[in-house]
Amino acid sequence: MNETTHTPAPPGKQMLSEQVYVRLRDAIMRGDHAPSDALKPQDLAKEQGVSLAVVREALVRLVGDGLADRLPNRGFAVPAFSDRRWQEVAEARRAIEPVVLRMSVERGDVDWEARVRAAHHRLARTPAYLPEEGEYYSAAWSEAHRDFHRTLLDGCGNPVLLEAFDRLWTASELARRWSAHRNPDRDGAAEHRRLEEAALARDAGTAAEVLAQHLTQTAAGLTDPIHHESAKDV
């Protein structure tokens, strides 16, 4: 009896696809491609010096990350700016992350506590803005910010929930990068400090409440009129 087997992509193609994916992801995050900009596979393949198949594979991954949309005519584009889109992402995060944080606080061990403390220390000591990186959050701060929030949830011990966090974070991070608006009245460092303190005090209820408030503030900042104008100007 003949068996149908799946032939994996050659290692060289996989490596190229990964490289193109990372370049496109970083370019979108930097704002090199504005909201609604077309991502034309033919142009990208020529620009990157790779095959059309490699570019399409990378674009499909970006769609899965929420960093690109697949259009009805089978083309690709950077997501359009939409208050509703980001509010839906924010709503999903508020529904999921405080619950996962409560689980993490209840289940996390001493090693988790140490990782939370280290991740917060790194975040607190990393500059949010650097002159050479312009008006966007610095790449180092953005990574430290993601690592702190993920580490807080990591104690839950449930990889499925953490995968959900990764997808939602990437989608919301795109909106955050588009916004050059800095709210002088918001003390994000204090919010992060309260999150760390509540988590390490093993106060699951307070930690979940502080995180919900933190996410609500972030959602409001992404969809206010000032932000809307900034996104249009990118």
Side-chain angles (χ1 to χ4, degrees):
M1 182 175 66
N2 293 331
E3 293 184 1
T4 300
T5 58
H6 174 68
T7 302
K13 182 182 176 184
Q14 289 179 335
M15 185 178 298
L16 275 175
S17 178
E18 178 67 22
Q19 291 172 353
V20 172
Y21 163 76
V22 170
R23 289 183 201 134
L24 289 176
R25 181 197 64 194
D26 292 348
I28 292 170
M29 284 293 195
R30 283 195 307 269
D32 294 350
H33 301 282
S36 301
D37 271 2
L39 298 169
K40 300 178 181 179
Q42 295 89 345
D43 293 347
L44 292 171
K46 184 177 180 180
E47 177 186 308
Q48 301 282 342
V50 298
S51 71
L52 198 58
V54 167
V55 169
R56 285 190 177 279
E57 187 175 324
L59 287 169
V60 168
R61 286 186 63 186
L62 291 169
V63 171
D65 289 343
L67 297 180
D69 285 338
R70 188 169 234 158
L71 305 178
N73 61 0
R74 302 186 65 79
F76 299 87
V78 177
F81 183 85
S82 163
D83 283 354
R84 180 177 178 182
R85 182 190 189 102
W86 306 125
Q87 287 298 327
E88 287 173 346
V89 171
E91 182 179 56
R93 290 188 64 190
R94 286 196 299 270
I96 294 172
E97 291 181 34
V99 175
V100 180
L101 179 55
R102 183 183 290 273
M103 294 168 58
S104 193
V105 170
E106 293 171 350
R107 298 177 181 178
D109 56 16
V110 174
D111 287 339
W112 169 77
E113 290 183 1
R115 292 198 305 274
V116 168
R117 191 177 297 279
H120 179 259
H121 180 77
R122 179 186 172 205
L123 175 61
R125 295 303 181 94
T126 302
Y129 299 96
L130 293 174
E132 60 269 26
E133 294 191 31
E135 63 186 7
Y136 294 100
Y137 287 114
S138 72
W141 185 89
S142 294
E143 176 56 25
H145 188 216
R146 185 202 67 81
D147 183 60
F148 173 64
H149 276 270
R150 198 183 196 282
T151 303
L152 280 171
L153 306 186
D154 189 54
C156 76
N158 187 321
V160 176
L161 290 171
L162 292 174
E163 287 171 8
F165 164 82
D166 289 337
R167 288 194 298 273
L168 290 169
W169 181 273
T170 300
S172 61
E173 184 69 3
L174 177 58
R176 192 188 343 267
R177 289 292 188 95
W178 279 345
S179 175
H181 174 55
R182 308 177 192 181
N183 183 355
D185 298 324
R186 186 179 183 189
D187 190 347
E191 293 175 31
H192 291 136
R193 185 172 61 252
R194 286 195 294 272
L195 273 170
E196 181 209 24
E197 291 171 350
L200 295 183
R202 299 290 180 158
D203 188 341
T206 297
E209 181 181 350
V210 170
L211 180 55
Q213 293 171 351
H214 180 69
L215 295 174
T216 298
Q217 290 269 17
T218 297
L222 293 178
T223 56
D224 65 22
I226 296 177
H227 167 72
H228 212 320
E229 291 304 313
S230 297
K232 288 179 181 178
D233 293 339
V234 170

